[in-house]
Amino acid sequence: MSSSPSQPIKIGEFLLRRLKEAGVRHLFGVPGDYNLELLQQLQDTGALKWIGACSELNASYAADGYARLNGLGALLVTNGVGPLSAINGIGGSYSEHVPVICIAGSIPLRSIERGLGMHHTMADGSYDHFLNAYAHVTTGHARLTPRNAAIEIDRLILAAWREKRPVFIELPSDIAYLDIEVPRGPLVLAEPSSDHERLRSCVAAIAERFSAARSPAILVDADAGRFGVASDLMELAEKTQAPVAVINTAKSVIDETFPRYIGIYNGKASEPHAREAIETSDCLLAIGYRPLEVTTGDFTASLPANTIHARSYSVDIGDDNYQAVTLKEVVRGVIDAVPRLTKRTPRPVAAAVGPTHPDGLHADASAKLTQAAYWQAMQGYLREGDVLYVDNGTSFALFGLKFPPKCTFVGSVNWGSIGYSVGALLGALTAAPERRHILFVGDGSFQVTAQELSTILRHDHKPVIFLINNGGYTIERGYLGKTEFYNDIANWSYADLPKVFRRDTSARSFVVKTVGDLQSALSAPNDTLIFVESIMDRFDAPTPVMNSSNKGADLDYGPRGPQRRDNQLRPAT
Ligand SMILES: Cc1ncc(C[n+]2csc(CCOP(=O)(O)OP(=O)(O)O)c2C)c(N)n1
Ligand SMILES: [Mg+2]
């Protein structure tokens, strides 16, 4: 990783330098007295660009969105109040396997050593609460000291990158300006090498089964994207003519126009051909598969008993478990080892949402906008290379759209924290401003993190934001409380917000009530931020979303729970 210790450097500068060497070019966060000294070093050295956010929660979402497109992200917060605000986002990064480095400027070591009571603490004599809290949502954590800083900074950055998980670093405010000896060479991000014998035998076992199979298939979860093997898997599918399905958490990881792509596998909720290809495969290779109710059609998924489970650093095949093998090397090895096949006929490619909503196709321009017409129109709006975000809610209909090539999906399917998408949008825009970014969000989710729109405008980003104003939490009405007040929210003037958040904005705002209104909004050029507020009925919801909410209620409350009192929004028949 590095050569012998060398020149002295200040601890804070070393941390910033290492972040830069690891590919981090921007730091998100909120200033506070315990981190200002590091911010001053950032300013003086120009090592990274500071992106101040409106809240630490939003900064944590932004660092996550940034990491998804950049490979690694970072945020800086101040003691106590910062980490506890950011912990929801960091928990999400942990759940979704996103490498984020959360740095907290913390209580000076002097105060800890002397037991001085300080602000932004619990004032109970302990300084470890936040470090301890973060132990549960990170793959590593440390409080830096002049003795451990050189080692811990490298250890934690590398751990985040290798595990695709967040880490937490406390930088006491009185040590950032102290000199320490550090390794001479740059930090090298590299995976641990595989054990040669295990890799060879693991590859041979997979290749043998895969080539002998009559109906091999590949099932891809999000780790395939995180660990950079998506194009390798397509190469394997091409060579063996095997169909590939994804779990919804891995939407867009496999190019949806790839001839071997068969769509999303979600148990009973899958398209029949995808379900059949996966469940009847005589050799299924599953990559990073993590079953949850939301990724398995409420546990109706049924993988063949002999499924091979390949994970980031291990593989399960029948009775054998192979440790110390990297996913990349396993997949590359299998590609090399299997013979090329040419005769298997491709299965039909998954259909787009369009044909399932015929009423949307023929709606006349003055017709009131419906969800069906909305998603039908969105299918035509997507372009090659878009970055597409979804928040929790009826916007989940996005999963039913067929993405053009080279699109990236950003969503928090496992963790599902509403408002995530707005912060993630800021982060991913910062990582890849040259791409077109399109956010699909509901009014309820947007209200949680809406103020980050101001940072997006401040930095002249030009995303397209499609907000559904349906007066509240429609997806929740499908669980319980179809008409109850607790699912209603305040009716903001959403389309006016760009003006509120930036007086001189050139953003184009639209309030859409009819199909025709939507068509004119969609024809606006992408030379500035576009904000489209679409007003729809609170009981209008895509059928797959309602089915999922209804089933979720049975799981959450039991089959004889309160949802049975005819108090639940159901799919339109
Ligand atoms: C932080 C957080 N709080 C609460 C929830 C529960 N929740 C899930 S979806 C949702 C409502 C989303 O409403 P909206 O964004 O308006 O979408 P709609 O279904 O109305 O289109 C809520 C409150 C959550 N997922 N995350
Ligand atoms: Mg809503």
Side-chain angles (χ1 to χ4, degrees):
M1 186 199 323
S2 48
S3 46
S4 54
S6 76
Q7 79 274 61
I9 181 173
K10 300 193 186 325
I11 292 174
E13 288 178 16
F14 179 63
L15 174 57
L16 297 171
R17 185 170 103 191
R18 283 310 204 212
L19 287 173
K20 195 174 176 189
E21 288 167 359
V24 175
R25 292 161 290 132
H26 300 82
L27 186 62
F28 300 90
V30 180
D33 57 321
Y34 296 124
N35 70 27
L36 286 173
E37 82 296 345
L38 183 68
L39 273 169
Q40 192 57 49
Q41 289 176 316
L42 177 143
Q43 176 75 23
D44 294 343
T45 59
L48 306 179
K49 193 160 177 229
W50 174 247
I51 309 287
C54 301
S55 78
E56 289 83 352
L57 173 65
N58 296 356
S60 68
Y61 292 155
D64 181 298
Y66 185 89
R68 290 190 192 215
L69 268 74
N70 186 60
L72 203 60
L75 74 154
L76 175 65
V77 302
T78 194
N79 197 73
V81 292
L84 288 197
S85 169
I87 200 165
N88 176 356
I90 299 299
S93 303
Y94 190 80
S95 164
E96 302 271 334
H97 294 184
V98 182
V100 169
I101 297 161
C102 181
I103 304 161
S106 58
I107 307 300
L109 287 183
R110 173 219 331 249
S111 302
I112 295 176
E113 226 165 80
R114 294 180 175 177
L116 302 179
M118 301 289 286
H119 68 287
H120 298 337
T121 71
M122 302 301 189
D124 62 354
S126 166
Y127 303 94
D128 299 340
H129 293 299
F130 315 117
L131 210 53
N132 291 340
Y134 268 79
H136 299 283
V137 293
T138 56
T139 197
H141 65 280
R143 174 176 298 147
L144 300 184
T145 68
R147 276 94 54 211
N148 72 12
I151 291 166
E152 291 290 30
I153 289 170
D154 283 2
R155 176 181 77 89
L156 291 168
I157 295 176
L158 193 58
W161 185 83
R162 282 186 171 178
E163 307 282 346
K164 310 303 177 207
R165 288 239 155 123
V167 294
F168 183 65
I169 301 177
E170 278 196 357
L171 175 64
S173 61
D174 57 349
I175 69 166
Y177 276 86
L178 302 185
D179 279 330
I180 53 167
E181 292 276 316
V182 299
R184 191 175 292 276
L187 179 66
V188 177
L189 296 182
E191 292 197 318
S193 49
S194 299
D195 175 278
H196 289 301
E197 186 282 322
R198 292 302 148 91
L199 178 63
R200 196 187 45 72
S201 48
C202 174
V203 164
I206 300 176
E208 190 191 317
R209 286 167 196 235
F210 216 68
S211 0
R214 273 173 293 108
S215 53
I218 303 171
L219 181 61
V220 169
D221 205 336
D223 273 357
R226 306 280 193 265
F227 287 87
V229 297
S231 54
D232 306 294
L233 291 169
M234 287 196 280
E235 198 180 326
L236 177 63
E238 193 56 54
K239 193 169 180 190
T240 57
Q241 307 282 293
V244 191
V246 302
I247 299 300
N248 51 16
T249 45
K251 172 98 179 149
S252 88
V253 167
I254 300 297
D255 184 333
E256 298 191 357
T257 62
F258 176 56
R260 296 284 152 190
Y261 176 69
I262 53 165
I264 294 178
Y265 176 67
N266 192 13
K268 265 190 186 161
S270 322
E271 296 278 338
H273 66 274
R275 190 168 180 208
E276 193 205 318
I278 295 304
E279 296 183 0
T280 65
S281 168
D282 59 351
C283 183
L284 180 66
L285 175 61
I287 310 292
Y289 182 61
R290 290 199 292 159
L292 302 178
E293 95 280 33
V294 286
T295 62
T296 59
D298 289 295
F299 305 122
T300 56
S302 163
L303 305 195
N306 61 355
T307 297
I308 300 169
H309 284 283
R311 305 195 177 90
S312 45
Y313 296 108
S314 68
V315 173
D316 252 315
I317 311 175
D319 287 340
D320 285 323
N321 177 274
Y322 296 85
Q323 292 292 325
V325 290
T326 68
L327 187 56
K328 184 85 176 175
E329 288 183 303
V330 167
V331 178
R332 288 304 324 165
V334 174
I335 293 171
D336 291 342
V338 291
R340 183 171 293 281
L341 238 183
T342 45
K343 52 186 184 310
R344 236 188 297 269
T345 34
R347 305 218 182 207
V349 175
V353 73
T356 59
H357 293 285
D359 48 337
L361 275 174
H362 305 296
D364 73 90
S366 61
K368 189 172 171 313
L369 185 64
T370 60
Q371 290 260 357
Y374 186 75
W375 293 106
Q376 183 67 32
M378 290 310 165
Q379 179 65 75
Y381 189 72
L382 307 187
R383 273 199 328 234
E384 179 167 340
D386 285 343
V387 185
L388 300 160
Y389 303 73
V390 74
D391 217 306
N392 275 38
T394 59
S395 293
F396 275 157
L398 183 70
F399 284 111
L401 268 56
K402 181 175 169 183
F403 287 4
K406 301 193 173 73
C407 286
T408 306
F409 168 81
V410 178
S412 169
V413 181
N414 300 341
W415 188 244
S417 187
I418 58 172
Y420 161 78
S421 66
V422 185
L425 176 65
L426 166 66
L429 278 163
T430 308
E434 71 290 353
R435 294 176 67 178
R436 189 172 76 154
H437 296 245
I438 308 179
L439 167 63
F440 296 94
V441 64
D443 46 2
S445 301
F446 184 74
Q447 287 196 358
V448 182
T449 48
Q451 72 279 54
E452 224 48 61
L453 180 59
S454 74
T455 316
I456 291 169
L457 288 161
R458 181 181 178 194
H459 292 282
D460 289 316
H461 291 303
K462 300 174 174 55
V464 188
I465 299 177
F466 289 112
L467 178 141
I468 295 176
N469 177 350
N470 52 14
Y473 305 138
T474 294
I475 193 172
E476 302 285 53
R477 299 185 199 277
Y479 280 78
L480 192 63
K482 177 177 173 184
T483 55
E484 300 293 358
F485 74 94
Y486 53 72
N487 283 324
D488 299 339
I489 59 172
N491 188 15
W492 293 7
S493 184
Y494 298 95
D496 290 333
L497 286 176
K499 188 92 198 135
V500 171
F501 287 139
R502 182 165 175 171
R503 282 173 203 280
D504 65 344
T505 185
S506 61
R508 291 196 180 83
S509 280
F510 299 85
V511 178
V512 166
K513 293 179 177 157
T514 66
V515 171
D517 292 344
L518 182 61
Q519 277 157 0
S520 20
L522 296 184
S523 59
N526 292 113
D527 54 357
T528 185
L529 185 144
I530 298 174
F531 194 102
V532 184
E533 173 188 352
S534 294
I535 300 185
M536 288 196 252
D537 192 274
R538 66 183 181 147
F539 296 147
D540 185 6
T543 300
V545 179
M546 275 309 103
N547 279 335
S548 153
S549 290
N550 293 172
K551 289 202 191 93
D554 287 347
L555 203 62
D556 285 354
Y557 319 124
R560 288 185 293 280
Q563 77 276 18
R564 288 290 155 220
R565 298 188 325 222
D566 202 20
N567 188 14
Q568 185 187 58
L569 181 58
R570 306 259 162 79
T573 44

